[in-house]
């Protein structure tokens, strides 16, 4: 129970669950469900990076998600160019696995990353 309460507290701190003021229980349950899904996706993002496996969502967001990039789309590919950042080596390792991916909902354009 203590772990579950800590996890919910962590979500309240980062995803701002305390802003939920709906009197309708279904809406609140749906908001909490989406928040827990987002938390799980953050944990999946860093599951293979030992240094960040126990990190809170706020830290994961700051180090991986809040990373500026330029996106260019041409007829055959989508180019994502990242700016210099202290955690780029960790992103580079992850990108190597995704280098030959295709974006199906954009006409199967190839996804290319640059640093």
């Amino acid at each position: 129970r203590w772990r579950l309460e800590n996890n919910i507290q962590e979500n309240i701190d980062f995803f701002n669950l305390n802003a939920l003021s709906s009197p309708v229980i279904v809406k609140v349950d749906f908001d909490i469900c989406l928040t827990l899904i987002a938390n799980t996706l953050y944990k999946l993002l860093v599951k293979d990076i030992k240094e960040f496996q126990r990190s809170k969502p706020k830290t994961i967001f700051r180090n991986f998600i809040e990373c500026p990039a330029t996106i260019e789309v041409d007829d055959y590919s989508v180019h994502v160019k990242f700016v210099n950042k202290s955690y780029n080596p960790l992103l580079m390792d992850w990108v190597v696995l995704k280098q030959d991916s295709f974006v199906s909902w954009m006409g199967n354009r190839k996804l290319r990353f640059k640093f």
Side-chain angles (χ1 to χ4, degrees):
R1 179 174 174 212
W2 178 74
R3 285 184 186 172
L4 183 60
E5 288 174 359
N6 280 347
N7 193 9
I8 291 172
Q9 181 61 40
E10 181 179 298
N11 289 325
I12 289 170
D13 290 341
F14 179 64
F15 294 111
N16 204 12
L17 282 177
N18 60 354
L20 302 175
S21 58
S22 172
V24 181
I25 293 173
V26 174
K27 183 178 186 304
V28 171
D29 288 343
F30 183 70
D31 289 344
I32 290 172
C33 179
L34 287 179
T35 299
L36 292 176
I37 289 170
N39 182 44
T40 303
L41 291 174
Y42 273 72
K43 297 294 183 182
L44 284 173
L45 177 68
V46 295
K47 75 176 179 146
D48 295 329
I49 304 172
K50 289 182 184 178
E51 297 87 0
F52 290 93
Q53 286 177 347
R54 295 185 181 264
S55 297
K56 293 186 176 186
K58 191 177 200 175
T59 304
I60 297 168
F61 175 80
R62 190 177 59 245
N63 292 324
F64 294 99
I65 306 299
E66 192 178 46
C67 180
T70 304
I71 300 174
E72 297 175 3
V73 180
D74 61 26
D75 292 338
Y76 303 103
S77 59
V78 177
H79 300 274
V80 180
K81 183 176 180 185
F82 293 98
V83 298
N84 292 337
K85 195 171 179 177
S86 61
Y87 290 100
N88 266 351
L90 295 172
L91 284 173
M92 288 173 152
D93 291 343
W94 180 79
V95 162
V96 167
L97 300 172
K98 305 293 181 188
Q99 197 65 272
D100 293 326
S101 299
F102 291 90
V103 184
S104 61
W105 50 270
M106 290 186 74
N108 283 330
R109 288 182 171 91
K110 189 170 186 171
L111 191 56
R112 299 176 188 236
F113 298 97
K114 298 177 189 174
F115 289 91

